[in-house]
Amino acid sequence: MEHRQVIATAPSSTANLGPGFDVFGLSLEAFEDKITINAQSEQAAQIVIKVLGVGSSSIPAIVENNCAGVVVRQMSKDFGIKNNLEITLEKKVPAGMGLGSSAASAVAAAMAFNRLFDLGIETNRLLEYAAEGEVVSAGTKHFDNVSASLLGGFTLVRTNPRIEFIKIDAPEDLFTVVAVPSLKVPKKKTELSRRVLPRQVPLKSVVHNVSNASTIVAGFLLKDVQMISKGIDDLIVEPYRKKLIPGYDAVKRNALHSGALAATISGAGPSIISFLKNRKDAKQVAISMSEGFKEAKIECKTFECRISKGAKIISTA
Ligand code: HSE
């Protein structure tokens, strides 16, 4: 095999959407990671990784500690690939902010590798590989961000008796505003924010969350942003995790007062996401979310974004 190259991108995403803990994902156009894999004909099976881009200094450039590196290493092993591989990760999704950063890198890597060697891996298996990358950063294999980042739109994950993914296109008029606070997050943030969750929950809260999660799914099927937003309220995870986000109540209150239909924690946080019907109020919602964080003396950046169509191969050579 002569020298070959594939470049793939994968977008940021938000997980949970309130009541859909570890089940729901939504692909966000805000940022995307880009992976380039170069394959040489040498038969030494060496893999190297370079990390470029904003915040790249916090991303390990060691194959076994890097979400994309781990995916490529596992796929090479399983498919008996002996080429030397050079991975370049251009990091755009902010790490540790609840925007599916590790998932974006892992998905782009799995997609690029699949195309580079024309493996024709089916989607479920590709997602299993991408989820390996999540273990490196989150300590657990969860599929909500990877499914949204790969497939685009709204996704839900079934785990029993086997992994299955269901994708529903988002309504064209669904719009989001994400506020990313300037907080220093611990290295194993997702792991820590999972530890604060209760082991047992009252049946009343389960009924509330199942009812709301069902409303969200119905809203996506009926392409009804109001219905989606009605379902975002969560009694199981938000009460525990919001304590880890200074200013959370003020940010949510401000978002709702300035036109957002719903607001919740994005993934494991600390970003907060608001849901809107079209772009009209987005600017005002963004400003008022920033003001909410300011009450807690925290700066934040806001992003107004549409729903993404998912990961893409952008070139092959
Ligand atoms: N569902 C996961 C969690 C997403 O909330 O812990 C983490 O990105």
Side-chain angles (χ1 to χ4, degrees), residues 18-19 198 201-210 212 231-240:
V201 291
L203 187 58
K204 201 162 64 62
S205 306
V206 175
V207 173
H208 176 95
N209 273 29
V210 170
N212 273 359
I232 300 292
D233 187 53
D234 150 45
L235 291 184
I236 296 178
V237 173
E238 186 196 50
Y240 294 89

Side-chain angles (χ1 to χ4, degrees), residues 179-251:
V180 184
S182 313
L183 286 172
K184 236 188 148 44
V185 288
K187 262 208 157 40
K188 294 268 175 195
K189 180 222 62 184
T190 301
E191 219 173 313
L192 293 174
S193 58
R194 292 174 84 87
R195 252 190 250 146
V196 302
L197 301 178
R199 298 291 122 209
Q200 295 194 319
V201 291
L203 187 58
K204 201 162 64 62
S205 306
V206 175
V207 173
H208 176 95
N209 273 29
V210 170
S211 153
N212 273 359
S214 313
T215 306
I216 291 177
V217 175
F220 276 102
L221 284 170
L222 297 171
K223 305 285 173 262
D224 182 336
V225 175
Q226 303 263 8
M227 191 179 289
I228 294 168
S229 307
K230 258 199 259 174
I232 300 292
D233 187 53
D234 150 45
L235 291 184
I236 296 178
V237 173
E238 186 196 50
Y240 294 89
R241 281 193 173 164
K242 73 175 189 177
K243 296 179 193 151
L244 307 176
I245 309 173
Y248 181 80
D249 286 330
V251 175

Side-chain angles (χ1 to χ4, degrees), residues 14-201:
T14 187
N16 306 337
L17 289 88
F21 180 70
D22 277 359
V23 176
F24 292 169
L26 184 67
S27 187
L28 298 177
E29 257 185 16
F31 308 95
E32 55 183 22
D33 280 1
K34 190 200 272 185
I35 287 276
T36 305
I37 308 182
N38 283 293
Q40 312 284 351
S41 51
E42 285 94 331
Q43 301 287 299
Q46 261 184 7
I47 305 174
V48 292
I49 186 159
K50 269 194 303 201
V51 186
L52 316 171
V54 191
S56 57
S57 56
S58 64
I59 310 290
I62 298 164
V63 172
E64 45 283 359
N65 296 342
N66 180 287
C67 313
V70 166
V71 172
V72 169
R73 194 186 55 175
Q74 189 60 44
M75 291 176 88
S76 298
K77 197 165 151 228
D78 291 357
F79 290 91
I81 304 287
K82 298 278 190 286
N83 301 77
N84 285 348
L85 301 172
E86 186 195 78
I87 311 162
T88 306
L89 164 59
E90 287 172 60
K91 197 73 207 145
K92 293 273 173 57
V93 185
M97 290 292 150
L99 293 170
S101 173
S102 46
S105 302
V107 162
M111 202 169 185
F113 191 93
N114 184 34
R115 176 62 71 84
L116 189 63
F117 297 103
D118 291 321
L119 299 172
I121 302 171
E122 53 105 17
T123 309
N124 281 5
R125 186 136 184 245
L126 214 50
L127 285 166
E128 291 261 18
Y129 279 118
E132 295 287 342
E134 288 286 51
V135 181
V136 179
S137 71
T140 52
K141 205 171 182 180
H142 58 92
F143 292 87
D144 42 10
N145 288 107
V146 287
S147 57
S149 183
L150 182 73
L151 303 172
F154 171 72
T155 51
L156 64 99
V157 183
R158 289 177 44 78
T159 37
N160 274 314
R162 61 192 161 79
I163 288 285
E164 258 179 279
F165 302 92
I166 299 169
K167 178 201 163 171
I168 309 174
D169 287 326
E172 287 296 326
D173 54 351
L174 175 60
F175 208 79
T176 63
V177 177
V178 182
V180 184
S182 313
L183 286 172
K184 236 188 148 44
V185 288
K187 262 208 157 40
K188 294 268 175 195
K189 180 222 62 184
T190 301
E191 219 173 313
L192 293 174
S193 58
R194 292 174 84 87
R195 252 190 250 146
V196 302
L197 301 178
R199 298 291 122 209
Q200 295 194 319
V201 291

